[in-house]
């Protein structure tokens, strides 16, 4: 038990034995899988113990209690620690689940996953790509503040905790998110930084030596320093001071020893990412005074001591009681609350769309703004914003100053600043928190790359978020190839479980918003144009109604005796119509299909798909982007398989061949 020499002020024997049990279970879990990261769980066991045992207001028997404190393990490689804590605190993670760590079909995958496959009770976010969890917590703190201001502190009054590591702090996304959190003074954020001086390649001195205290103070954070994670008293006092500072987010910088108290591997990167090995596990158990022949062993008194079910039930019962009074005070507020937590809009949402458009021709980004203004009142907890491009992406709700999310008020329009990475992570965090209906982030389509990690995670988690990308083709013009997306639609379509939508005109834009808010469970990415498109005449004798968007692709204008089909997306639907007109003038009949979403079309039955794209009928697509992927749907593509160029948009499109003439020619070529 000599390793306890370091534990100068651990209060009780049961504290010590509980923490050692966490360490032993984490070692066993990783050893059994013969894969995983034991070092962080062992080093940070005292911090996790304090959190789950004394600090977090949580109820293991209802992991989705809306007013629970949130905990994000941003250093997702330390998943064994999270699973062990969930098991010991009474969540639905069994000893058998620990034994199935990293195995097919288990609820204890290599990194924590929140999704529809691995439903691990108590896992708030999927983490693993370092830095993402850090940014997720910032979004959660924004959600908590927004909901507390809207519904009152009876309903929402909690904190966001995270364990973040050296790797998290090295990642750029964490810098952006920390800067944003400091700016917004997100005082409910309390991050425990595992400052163990070790990362994967070796000591952090290889690559990381800034003064993190000064850095976070400069961001406007409250920083606490704890010299030794094993000093529970100092640690608890530091966390307590951090929690009391509600004006600033807090970083509790904690010195720990990776792999502690493994006699031969602690303090080295050898304990970071591989099992300690049977012998070292035995030796470590011996150091802790535990029986090395026992595996997955939890003494009865430790199990009873660590089970948080009773404490959690009491906390939630108190909340439930207060909430029933709260509900009866204001019926409308209660209904709004229920809709918010169900992720649903209020009645009247669909009827608000489409609005009466301000002009006959509008950029779809402007149509998006007009649609948001129309449906906004029906989704009062929809929060989002842009990465310093609100004026261009047109994603602000009306309301000006009073709708702004600032350091003193939580409105629904967030100015994320030029921070795409943090915006992505924060929007995911808002969705993960719950209560925010369809949080969204927007920027130019080109910069989707900057936030791709978060977009991918939103898809992996199936989060109900909206990514709104404008300036969606070379048609944006003069800004040139640095700003002109080329491969981005293909890159987004390549992400599984992400629905990509590129509406053709204002009516399709409104319908796309309806589908995103009402129909879709998971994330959506919408591509909107900078340049105008007509509001198509879809009345009697005109083009087909925009409701066809919900099926992914639909016949927009049927040609009798069609010899070919022309498929367009977004602003290129106008090109497709022009091509069909040219062909008609030459006696060739071509049907025009609008195809705003491959994924929605893919989900239709074969009969519908065959009706839209009849097999055997020559087909040509037109989209101002790479041709990659189009062969799945059509025989030939008019596309742009090169970077764009700086010039007025219409000229760029002309030079790169996105014209009605080029499409008509391609159709004629196919027809021989
Ligand atoms: C974005 C990203 N890049 C790289 C990795 C691979 N990786 C996993 S853990 C790790 C080292 C992290 O070191 P640290 O955060 O200090 O954790 P510790 O060694 O203390 O467990 C790396 C590079 C990752 N998970 N995410």
């Amino acid at each position: 038990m000599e390793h306890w020499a370091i534990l100068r002020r651990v209060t009780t024997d049961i504290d010590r034995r509980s923490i050692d049990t966490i360490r032993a279970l984490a070692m066993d879990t990783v050893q059994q899988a013969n894969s995983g990261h034991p070092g962080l769980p062992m080093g940070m066991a005292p911090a996790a113990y304090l959190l789950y045992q004394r600090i977090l207001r949580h109820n293991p028997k209802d992991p989705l209690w809306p007013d629970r404190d949130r905990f994000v393990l941003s250093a997702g490689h330390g998943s064994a620690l999270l699973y062990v804590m969930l098991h010991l605190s009474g969540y639905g993670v069994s000893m058998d689940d620990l034994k199935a760590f990293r195995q097919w079909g288990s609820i204890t995958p290599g990194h924590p996953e929140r999704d529809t496959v691995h439903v691990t009770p108590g896992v708030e976010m999927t983490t693993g790509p370092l830095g993402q969890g850090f940014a997720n917590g910032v979004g959660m703190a924004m959600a908590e503040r927004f909901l507390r201001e809207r519904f009152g502190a009876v309903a929402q009054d909690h904190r966001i905790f995270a364990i973040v590591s050296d790797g998290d702090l090295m990642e750029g996304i964490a810098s952006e998110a920390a800067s944003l959190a400091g700016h917004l003074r997100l005082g409910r954020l309390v991050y425990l930084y595992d400052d163990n001086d070790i990362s994967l390649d070796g000591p952090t001195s290889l690559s990381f030596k800034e003064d993190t205290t000064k850095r976070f103070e400069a961001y406007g954070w409250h920083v606490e320093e704890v010299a030794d994670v094993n000093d529970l008293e100092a640690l608890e006092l530091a966390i307590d001071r951090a929690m009391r500072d509600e004006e600033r987010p807090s970083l509790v910088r904690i010195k720990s020893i990776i792999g502690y108290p493994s006699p031969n591997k602690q303090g080295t990167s050898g304990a970071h990412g591989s099992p300690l090995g049977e012998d070292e596990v035995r030796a470590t158990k011996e150091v802790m005074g535990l029986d090395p022949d026992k595996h997955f062993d939890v003494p009865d008194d430790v199990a009873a001591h660590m089970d948080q079910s009773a404490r959690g039930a009491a906390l939630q019962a108190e909340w439930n009681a207060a909430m029933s009074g709260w509900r009866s005070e204001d019926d409308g507020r209660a209904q709004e609350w229920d809709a918010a937590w169900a992720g649903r809009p209020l009645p009247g949402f669909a009827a608000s769309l489409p609005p009466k458009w301000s002009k006959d021709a509008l950029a779809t980004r402007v149509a998006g703004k007009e649609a948001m203004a129309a449906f906004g009142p029906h989704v009062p907890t929809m929060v989002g914003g842009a990465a310093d491009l609100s004026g261009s992406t047109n994603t602000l709700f009306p309301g000006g100053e009073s709708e702004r999310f600032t350091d003193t008020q939580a409105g629904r329009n967030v100015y994320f600043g030029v921070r795409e990475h943090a915006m992505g992570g924060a929007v995911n965090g808002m969705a993960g928190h719950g209560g925010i209906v369809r949080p969204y982030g927007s920027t130019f389509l080109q910069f989707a790359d900057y936030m791709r990690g978060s977009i991918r995670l939103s898809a992996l988690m199936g989060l109900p978020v909206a990514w709104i990308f404008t300036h969606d083709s070379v048609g944006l013009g003069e800004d040139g190839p640095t700003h002109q997306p080329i491969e981005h639609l293909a890159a987004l379509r390549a992400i599984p479980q992400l629905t990509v939508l590129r509406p053709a005109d204002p009516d399709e834009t409104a319908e796309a918003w309806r589908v995103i808010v009402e129909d879709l469970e998971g994330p959506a990415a919408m591509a909107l144009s900078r340049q105008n498109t007509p509001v198509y005449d879809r009345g009697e004798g005109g083009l087909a109604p925009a409701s066809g968007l919900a099926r992914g692709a639909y016949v927009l204008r049927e040609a009798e005796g069609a010899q070919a089909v022309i498929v367009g997306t977004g602003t290129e639907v106008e090109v497709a119509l022009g091509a069909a007109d040219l062909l008609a003038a030459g006696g060739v009949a071509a049907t025009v299909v609008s195809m705003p979403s491959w994924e929605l079309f893919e989900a239709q039955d074969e009969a519908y798909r065959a009706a839209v794209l009849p097999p055997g009928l020559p087909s040509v697509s037109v989209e101002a982007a790479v041709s990659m992927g189009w062969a799945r749907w059509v025989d030939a593509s008019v596309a742009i398989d090169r970077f764009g160029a700086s010039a007025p948009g219409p000229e760029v499109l002309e030079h790169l061949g996105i014209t009605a003439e080029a499409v008509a020619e391609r159709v004629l070529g196919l027809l021989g």
Side-chain angles (χ1 to χ4, degrees), residues 60-234:
K61 296 298 179 262
D62 185 358
L64 299 181
W65 170 27
D67 199 29
R68 69 193 181 277
D69 283 337
R70 306 301 196 268
F71 171 71
V72 178
L73 181 68
S74 186
H77 59 278
S79 57
L81 178 61
L82 180 54
Y83 300 145
V84 165
M85 293 315 300
L86 294 174
H87 170 69
L88 291 171
S89 356
Y91 285 82
V93 175
S94 68
M95 196 63 97
D96 282 342
D97 293 324
L98 295 185
K99 290 177 183 166
F101 182 50
R102 294 182 160 234
Q103 303 308 305
W104 180 267
S106 79
I107 63 166
T108 47
H111 293 79
E113 290 182 40
R114 167 219 167 101
D115 64 33
T116 45
V117 182
H118 305 272
V119 190
T120 315
V123 171
E124 299 280 5
M125 295 302 284
T126 297
T127 52
L130 288 162
Q132 291 284 340
F134 189 114
N136 295 156
V138 171
M140 289 181 166
M142 294 169 70
E144 193 275 342
R145 178 184 282 177
F146 181 87
L147 296 169
R148 180 154 37 93
E149 287 191 16
R150 183 149 190 103
F151 294 108
V154 169
Q156 288 285 275
D157 191 15
H158 54 263
R159 292 189 169 75
I160 318 300
F161 295 88
I163 289 181
V164 303
S165 64
D166 296 311
D168 283 306
L169 263 51
M170 290 186 216
E171 290 288 353
I173 185 173
S175 301
E176 291 185 11
S179 165
L180 180 63
H183 171 76
L184 294 175
R185 304 179 78 83
L186 298 175
R188 293 299 181 96
L189 214 52
V190 179
Y191 282 2
L192 310 187
Y193 164 34
D194 179 20
D195 186 6
N196 67 13
D197 298 320
I198 293 289
S199 63
L200 200 156
D201 274 349
T204 50
S205 58
L206 287 171
S207 55
F208 188 55
K209 60 170 165 294
E210 73 231 22
D211 183 330
T212 45
T213 298
K214 282 190 188 152
R215 176 181 154 201
F216 276 77
E217 281 172 353
Y219 289 138
W221 286 52
H222 170 138
V223 182
E224 290 282 337
E225 292 179 348
V226 177
D228 174 7
V229 69
N230 293 309
D231 185 345
L232 280 201
E233 190 180 317

Side-chain angles (χ1 to χ4, degrees), residues 478-671:
E478 293 84 345
D479 273 339
T482 56
H483 284 51
Q484 291 165 339
I486 291 290
E487 73 281 21
H488 300 76
L489 288 171
L492 290 172
R493 287 171 181 149
I495 298 178
Q497 303 181 57
L498 177 71
T499 302
V500 183
L501 297 137
R502 186 168 185 245
D505 78 333
D507 286 327
E508 276 195 18
T509 307
E511 177 64 6
W513 263 122
R514 190 204 60 73
V515 166
I516 290 171
V517 174
E518 280 200 333
D519 296 357
L520 296 182
E521 299 289 333
M526 179 143 69
L528 300 173
S529 71
R530 176 185 183 225
Q531 73 273 31
N532 282 354
T533 77
V535 180
Y536 293 122
D537 176 9
R538 295 172 185 267
E540 192 94 356
L543 304 181
S547 55
L549 170 136
R551 306 193 78 172
Y554 63 103
V555 174
L556 184 66
R557 190 175 71 191
E558 182 124 44
E560 213 165 304
Q563 297 156 274
V565 181
I566 304 173
V567 183
T569 82
T571 39
E572 284 77 75
V573 166
E574 193 180 3
V575 179
L577 288 165
D581 290 343
L582 286 177
L583 289 166
V588 174
T591 286
V592 174
V593 165
S594 175
M595 190 170 188
S597 173
W598 289 14
E599 298 78 16
L600 292 178
F601 188 57
E602 182 83 59
Q604 304 304 311
D605 59 42
E606 211 178 314
Y608 178 79
R609 283 189 272 143
V612 176
L613 297 177
L617 206 57
S619 53
V620 173
S621 68
V622 53
E623 183 173 73
V626 288
S627 56
M628 182 188 257
W630 274 106
R632 161 94 179 78
W633 306 110
V634 293
D635 300 316
S637 293
V638 174
I640 304 176
D641 288 306
R642 51 157 282 184
F643 289 124
S646 173
E651 270 180 56
V652 179
L653 287 163
E654 172 100 33
H655 278 290
L656 299 182
I658 305 297
T659 62
E661 290 74 13
V663 174
E665 217 168 283
R666 189 65 66 87
V667 171
L668 291 175
L670 274 186
L671 294 177

